[in-house]
Amino acid sequence: MDNNYIEINKDAYNNLAKEYDERNYAVQDNFYNDIMFKDLKFKKGAKILEIGPGRGARLKNFCDYDLDVTAIELSEEMSKLCSKRAPKAKIINKNVFECDFDSPFDFIYMEAVIHNFPIEEAKKLLSLIHKWLKEDGILICTTTVDKIDFEGYEEKKDYKSNIKRFRHHYTEDAFEELFKKQNFKVLDKKYKEEIDDTRNKLWQILYVGK
Ligand SMILES: C[S@@+](CC[C@H](N)C(=O)[O-])C[C@H]1O[C@@H](n2cnc3c(N)ncnc32)[C@H](O)[C@@H]1O
């Protein structure tokens, strides 16, 4: 797989940024704030890295928890939304593979991002993340639950614009296997249903550690 998928994804998310910004995500936001983040017992000042924050809703939540927040976002347009929503976060507008860090993170968060990488690239990304995570750190990673494992370029069906980007679909087993093969241990797993006028998805949320 060449690196074309990065440029294609970057163009896609630049084009989708306005729609992401304007959509009402209240149901999802409540789930993350009321269920997920409460369980994580964030300590003030803990270091968190979000990869692919998109419009920056979760980044804002992390800043509200008084965490030391860094984000890496590929798309320029999404990065602008992040700066607007979460001005206290350090936002790095780059491809994640071009980044590196000297000191490790307590938490690394990737919501609906891992599936934008071909599986072989996702493995490389997870080995980078392994290096960036503290020994007792937690990586939280989400994707949808699919019945068949497959990948390729496809249009986003739940958005108005017919824009193609790279998408890997994971079964539950394949998703867990991906982390285990990169030397992570599965600590916990949650599910989130997303059913509204435009979406009908089941999300799997993995909490993994070293
Ligand atoms: C499906 S969106 C999810 C956005 C947000 N996390 C959410 O759940 O609403 C994927 C995001 O990951 C970013 N992304 C994709 N590939 C990336 C890469 N190689 N490096 C950094 N960010 C990337 C995209 O630009 C996009 O903003």
Side-chain angles (χ1 to χ4, degrees):
M1 170 67 64
D2 56 35
N3 275 344
N4 268 349
Y5 78 95
I6 302 256
E7 283 308 310
I8 292 172
N9 287 349
K10 186 177 177 174
D11 284 352
Y13 287 104
N14 274 334
N15 281 308
L16 286 165
K18 190 164 182 289
E19 217 177 317
Y20 264 83
D21 191 33
E22 289 169 356
R23 183 176 276 198
N24 178 359
Y25 290 91
V27 180
Q28 285 99 294
D29 291 347
N30 293 346
F31 171 86
Y32 289 105
N33 279 318
D34 299 345
I35 298 178
M36 220 174 118
F37 297 151
K38 288 230 162 77
D39 286 359
L40 288 169
K41 299 186 178 67
F42 289 137
K43 285 200 189 106
K44 194 175 169 182
K47 273 168 65 73
I48 186 160
L49 170 68
E50 179 165 5
I51 301 170
R55 74 208 154 99
R58 233 52 74 205
L59 272 189
K60 180 185 179 317
N61 298 148
F62 297 141
C63 292
D64 292 344
Y65 276 97
D66 264 342
L67 305 181
D68 175 352
V69 186
T70 303
I72 305 172
E73 172 52 60
L74 178 67
S75 140
E76 296 86 0
E77 294 306 319
M78 292 293 201
S79 296
K80 286 182 204 160
L81 297 179
C82 289
S83 307
K84 200 174 70 182
R85 251 190 203 101
K88 285 194 209 148
K90 286 161 255 172
I91 295 151
I92 304 167
N93 178 205
K94 275 190 177 171
N95 169 13
V96 64
F97 288 117
E98 290 167 1
C99 298
D100 205 4
F101 299 97
D102 293 332
S103 55
F105 292 89
D106 297 288
F107 296 98
I108 299 185
Y109 186 74
M110 265 201 298
E111 181 183 334
V113 177
I114 191 93
H115 52 230
N116 286 144
F117 294 83
I119 189 127
E120 291 308 317
E121 296 285 298
K123 289 179 190 168
K124 287 185 207 160
L125 176 56
L126 288 181
S127 71
L128 257 188
I129 289 176
H130 201 274
K131 200 177 82 175
W132 295 343
L133 195 65
K134 285 188 181 169
E135 283 311 307
D136 60 352
I138 299 177
L139 163 67
I140 303 137
C141 202
T142 86
T143 192
T144 49
V145 173
D146 283 284
K147 291 196 177 72
I148 309 165
D149 194 75
F150 67 100
E151 65 177 29
Y153 289 100
E154 60 182 68
E155 283 177 12
K156 265 184 99 47
K157 295 192 184 72
D158 47 354
Y159 285 77
K160 285 182 212 121
S161 349
N162 305 328
I163 290 167
K164 282 197 177 163
R165 87 287 186 233
F166 197 89
R167 178 64 151 99
H168 190 105
H169 292 264
Y170 288 96
T171 61
E172 293 200 51
D173 286 349
F175 196 45
E176 287 193 24
E177 217 31 49
L178 174 68
F179 293 89
K180 289 178 187 158
K181 285 214 170 110
Q182 300 310 120
N183 297 319
F184 286 103
K185 289 190 198 96
V186 176
L187 306 173
D188 199 359
K189 180 167 186 173
K190 290 195 172 140
Y191 297 90
K192 180 172 74 79
E193 277 186 346
E194 196 175 87
I195 300 169
D196 60 25
D197 299 347
T198 46
R199 296 161 162 235
N200 183 2
K201 294 179 179 175
L202 177 64
W203 290 86
Q204 43 182 334
I205 298 158
L206 275 190
Y207 298 66
V208 303
K210 288 191 179 180

